[in-house]
Amino acid sequence: MAHEIQIVTEAELRAAIQLDVEIVDVVERAFAALAGGEVVMPPILSMDLPQANAEVDVKTAYIPGFDGFAIKVSPGFFDNPKLGLSSLNGLMILFSAKTGLVEAVYLDNGYLTDIRTAAAGAVAARHLAPDTIETAGVIGTGVQARLQIQAAHLVRPFKRILVHGRDPAKAAACAQDLAQTLGIAAEAVADPAALVADSQLVVTTTPARTPVLMADWLHPGLHITAMGSDQEGKNEIDPAALAAADLYVCDRVSQCQTSGELEAARATGVLADVTPPELGEIIAGTATGRRTPEDVTICDLTGTGAQDTAIASHVRAALPDTGTRIET
């Protein structure tokens, strides 16, 4: 019996799927499902390739009640720009949860990962940030710096953006892009401590292996989303900041303790005997989130296979007739 597989290209996906509140809601439901305890989500397969200045991550999750489950392969080869190629590429494969047959292949070159990652930042802001935000700051100047701020603006509209990066020219370009995209004031700042001091929401989007945000910069009413640490050895947030915060939340504790901010914290003896709550538990109401407007909150996002299954399933439902079909 012939079986059809849907093949959808990056261009087709970009034309039909954008970062919006619907995508944020899709990813939020994935986190809520994680809190239910029935999701099957194995550890990330992460391959570090220092000789090639590269890394490859493979993520997946089976969510009960979903018609399918995704396996996402995400290579990052960081010398590619010298060859005129993108650093990131990859694809998602959606399988039937009933038969295991391949239903769709999304040749997204990381686009769906970018969107679902930004949406996770919006979910964190929705549940952990103060209700009112005047200024948002981002440390980092790449694609996620732009998308994270755009996503946060969907759920916590703010009037001003501050951008810090190691390269002042890239920071200025990022600020200009965000100002144009969101239609609000944005500026590059040279001092990250000043950025944090002036912001109520800060997102860190770097591949740093030494902290880019220090504990003594924390102030009442601050929310931080750290999404750059997604592999062993990466560390954006001063471990002392995790202990100093009123609330530190993981997307998945088992991942954060091996490839997120919790890894560095425990290596220095911080939070050694503490199991932080997970974002899904706060969404589900089984853990307590922000208690007062003055609380300092930190959310550690390493990226979960549940997010990949959620967005791939959403694409399948939203674009049933898009792309090319092949018979097997």
Side-chain angles (χ1 to χ4, degrees):
M1 183 177 178
H3 172 69
E4 279 194 346
I5 299 174
Q6 180 190 29
I7 310 292
V8 187
T9 66
E10 178 187 357
E12 291 166 332
L13 290 165
R14 284 184 180 273
I17 303 294
Q18 278 82 41
L19 178 60
D20 55 22
V21 172
E22 184 179 16
I23 294 293
V24 175
D25 292 342
V26 164
V27 171
E28 181 175 281
R29 288 193 291 272
F31 281 119
L34 279 176
E38 296 183 353
V39 173
V40 179
M41 191 170 74
I44 300 168
L45 189 162
S46 186
M47 184 165 64
D48 190 20
L49 304 173
Q51 291 176 322
N53 189 23
E55 60 187 51
V56 181
D57 291 327
V58 180
K59 297 180 180 180
T60 186
Y62 172 90
I63 304 177
F66 278 50
D67 292 335
F69 64 93
I71 296 179
K72 190 267 295 290
V73 183
S74 182
F77 278 65
F78 304 112
D79 291 335
N80 277 2
K82 300 174 185 176
L83 305 174
L85 301 171
S86 172
S87 294
L88 302 177
N89 58 90
L91 73 164
M92 290 189 185
I93 308 167
L94 185 68
F95 296 83
S96 166
K98 182 179 180 180
T99 65
L101 293 174
V102 176
E103 298 283 354
V105 178
Y106 300 128
L107 303 172
D108 70 317
N109 290 316
Y111 176 67
L112 294 178
T113 295
D114 284 342
I115 294 299
R116 66 76 151 151
T117 301
V123 174
R126 177 185 273 171
H127 290 276
L128 296 170
D131 289 338
T132 301
I133 295 174
E134 294 290 328
T135 301
V138 61
I139 299 176
T141 60
V143 170
Q144 271 303 310
R146 291 161 168 81
L147 289 177
Q148 286 286 338
I149 290 297
Q150 292 173 39
H153 193 260
L154 290 171
V155 298
R156 288 290 190 275
F158 36 81
K159 300 175 182 177
R160 180 171 171 246
I161 305 162
L162 302 177
V163 181
H164 171 76
R166 291 178 299 177
D167 183 329
K170 289 182 179 179
C174 182
Q176 184 177 11
D177 287 350
L178 286 167
Q180 184 172 4
T181 301
L182 296 177
I184 60 177
E187 63 180 287
V189 295
D191 182 3
L195 177 149
V196 175
D198 289 343
S199 301
Q200 295 81 52
L201 183 154
V202 174
V203 188
T204 57
T205 68
T206 76
R209 291 180 176 267
T210 56
V212 298
L213 194 155
M214 306 309 295
D216 58 3
W217 300 353
L218 303 182
H219 59 82
L222 174 65
H223 170 71
I224 298 166
T225 295
M227 56 71 54
S229 294
D230 58 358
Q231 199 170 50
E232 183 180 355
K234 291 184 178 181
N235 175 211
E236 294 188 294
I237 310 298
D238 180 0
L242 304 190
D246 296 289
L247 179 65
Y248 165 62
V249 178
C250 296
D251 58 358
R252 194 66 161 177
V253 170
S254 58
Q255 291 184 186
C256 291
Q257 65 189 5
T258 59
S259 58
E261 300 301 328
L262 190 55
E263 179 201 1
R266 287 188 170 168
T268 59
V270 175
L271 303 181
D273 301 318
V274 175
T275 300
E278 294 185 347
L279 182 56
E281 294 172 334
I282 290 170
I283 294 165
T286 57
T288 302
R290 172 177 290 273
R291 292 178 172 84
T292 73
E294 290 74 36
D295 279 0
V296 176
T297 55
I298 300 175
C299 188
D300 189 356
L301 299 178
T302 54
T304 68
Q307 293 164 246
D308 297 314
T309 284
I311 196 165
S313 298
H314 171 74
V315 171
R316 178 69 167 170
L319 307 178
D321 302 317
T322 301
T324 304
R325 279 171 168 68
I326 61 171
E327 284 193 358
T328 62

